[in-house]
Amino acid sequence: MYRCLELAKLGRGYVAPNPLVGAILVNKDCIIGEGYHQQFGKAHAEVNCINSVAERNKTLISQSTLYVSLEPCAHFGKTAPCADLISQNKIPKVIIGCRDPFLEVNGKGIEKLKQVGIEVIVGILEKESKELNKRFFTFHEKRRPYIILKWAQTADKKIAALSKERLLISNEFSNRLVHQWRSEEAAILIGTNTALFDDPSLNNRFTTGKNPIRLILDKHLRLPPSLKIFDNSQRTIIFNNIKQEENNNNTIFYRLDNEENVIQQIMDACYQLNIQSILVEGGAKILQSFIDADIWDEARVITNESLLVGDGLAAPQLRNALLVTEEKYRNDLIQYYRHE
């Protein structure tokens, strides 16, 4: 099962909104096939695993045990049900990391396998299997995206100077790591002031992988069309209180109902839009709004321990946070928190 999880991780950044899944076929303690879900809309892990079996070992499939990190699907989606494929290949035993919380599957894949006489064992490395797909589980169980808060701060806990000139806080190593984080999430969110004063591209140009969907909170549509976020290079959604409009240039204007409970309205909209995870990059006001609403799952805080600015914009204040780990890149201390 550890190998299944190892394989599943190879699909990061490519399979959302599907889960990360890995699978292996074992015959007499020897792996004869392995696979993982590589890309959304393409073959699932079980299919790739069975297809990987060498021709000389095809006859062993019906005598082997299939290990898979997540319950095999039982419905027709972009692909045929994996539970049916397992049955067709007469695999006698299936060992599963954890159940799939998606309503169309949730226990149905397991039941389908049992109905045709396949021995099923569930819950092997269950905690690790759920952790791997924490975004997927949060989305289907809490009906909202998985939220990661991120900001960089000075040693005296400021995220910007009062002059409104862009303050470069994190170093080049941390910056590359942030771009990797962007490639791992479905979307990235900023507020009006961050878009206006920093004019960011919000892409992951320093690494490989898919660019995230750009989410901008601009309640009164103050942002000029000359900003980089309007360059049509990637899908962009502008949450506002004025208009609902979708054009052919990758930009959507999504009107919120009112100016109350804005964070929850964005969460509801993203659930409807099938956006499973969001990296919230700022500014301070929108980050604090997520914290105050108690809608967040992780926080990643980069502190430049050698930079002091004195007067400046104060960093957000985390609550209900548990420090999980930390690491250093030269003068940058990166702390990783989980919501308690």
Side-chain angles (χ1 to χ4, degrees):
M1 192 59 72
Y2 277 119
R3 177 58 180 161
C4 289
L5 296 175
E6 189 176 55
L7 288 166
K9 291 174 185 176
L10 298 175
R12 277 179 174 162
Y14 299 98
V15 303
N18 282 355
L20 298 163
V21 186
I24 63 171
L25 262 175
V26 179
N27 183 270
K28 296 181 180 178
D29 293 329
C30 179
I31 294 175
I32 63 169
E34 59 181 32
Y36 66 96
H37 186 28
Q38 298 178 12
Q39 190 174 344
F40 176 69
K42 299 294 179 66
H44 287 187
E46 298 91 328
V47 177
N48 289 329
C49 176
I50 291 170
N51 288 344
S52 76
V53 177
E55 194 61 41
R56 66 181 181 279
N57 291 327
K58 295 288 188 185
T59 57
L60 299 177
I61 294 176
S62 60
Q63 306 163 41
S64 300
T65 298
L66 177 71
Y67 289 77
V68 60
S69 57
L70 188 72
E71 176 182 4
C73 62
H75 68 295
F76 282 90
K78 296 271 185 192
T79 60
C82 290
D84 290 351
L85 178 70
I86 295 166
S87 175
Q88 290 162 10
N89 280 273
K90 297 182 171 54
I91 296 171
K93 185 174 182 179
V94 179
I95 298 177
I96 299 168
C98 63
R99 282 174 62 140
D100 187 329
F102 182 43
L103 190 61
E104 294 290 335
V105 182
N106 201 354
K108 297 173 184 174
I110 293 168
E111 187 58 32
K112 209 168 193 180
L113 295 174
K114 288 181 175 179
Q115 284 177 352
V116 295
I118 296 172
E119 181 185 354
V120 181
I121 297 174
V122 185
I124 304 302
L125 296 186
E126 183 175 25
K127 181 180 177 182
E128 292 86 345
S129 297
K130 287 183 175 180
E131 173 66 19
L132 175 69
N133 280 307
K134 55 193 175 186
R135 296 160 181 81
F136 184 77
F137 273 80
T138 296
F139 186 79
H140 289 288
E141 292 178 348
K142 297 185 177 182
R143 298 176 70 85
R144 67 160 174 83
Y146 188 87
I147 301 299
I148 301 172
L149 309 178
K150 171 264 167 184
W151 70 86
Q153 63 185 20
T154 62
D156 50 353
K157 296 188 177 178
K158 301 293 191 298
I159 68 167
L162 290 181
S163 65
K164 292 185 180 178
E165 290 183 16
R166 189 167 188 182
L167 179 64
L168 299 177
I169 297 175
S170 51
N171 62 39
E172 65 271 25
F173 296 101
S174 299
N175 287 340
R176 287 186 178 277
L177 182 60
V178 169
H179 280 246
Q180 179 185 320
W181 295 344
R182 289 178 179 180
S183 73
E184 294 170 352
E185 308 310 327
I188 182 170
L189 172 66
I190 62 170
T192 307
N193 288 338
T194 300
L196 194 59
F197 299 126
D198 292 351
D199 192 15
S201 298
L202 300 182
N203 56 26
N204 55 349
R205 59 194 176 276
F206 294 151
T207 186
T208 58
K210 197 165 58 173
N211 285 320
I213 299 168
R214 298 185 289 209
L215 307 178
I216 317 296
L217 177 58
D218 182 20
K219 290 190 283 188
H220 306 296
L221 296 180
R222 294 194 293 118
L223 297 175
S226 58
L227 295 178
K228 293 172 184 173
I229 57 167
F230 295 113
D231 64 6
N232 298 319
S233 63
Q234 61 207 79
R235 191 180 178 199
T236 302
I237 301 172
I238 312 295
F239 293 108
N240 68 93
N241 294 122
I242 298 175
K243 69 177 181 179
Q244 179 83 21
E245 179 181 295
E246 184 169 352
N247 58 38
N248 296 321
N249 296 320
N250 251 354
T251 301
I252 298 171
F253 289 88
Y254 194 104
R255 186 173 66 82
L256 303 176
D257 291 335
N258 52 61
E259 294 200 30
E260 297 180 4
N261 302 318
V262 170
I263 301 303
Q264 186 58 56
Q265 287 188 70
I266 292 174
M267 294 298 93
D268 292 343
C270 289
Y271 181 77
Q272 295 300 322
L273 293 166
N274 208 18
I275 296 172
Q276 284 194 1
S277 65
I278 302 174
L279 182 65
V280 183
E281 285 211 9
K285 185 176 180 181
I286 197 168
L287 284 161
Q288 194 63 54
S289 294
F290 274 90
I291 296 168
D292 293 344
D294 208 30
I295 299 176
W296 65 280
D297 300 286
E298 289 183 38
R300 300 170 184 176
V301 182
I302 304 170
T303 303
N304 184 329
E305 296 183 307
S306 62
L307 179 62
L308 296 165
V309 297
D311 292 336
L313 183 61
Q317 294 186 338
L318 273 177
R319 292 193 298 274
N320 303 322
L322 176 68
L323 179 63
V324 177
T325 187
E326 55 186 35
E327 58 191 10
K328 284 199 73 170
Y329 292 90
R330 289 187 178 170
N331 54 320
D332 283 355
L333 173 67
I334 305 178
Q335 295 174 300
Y336 297 83
Y337 294 89
R338 278 290 185 90
H339 192 292
E340 280 194 311

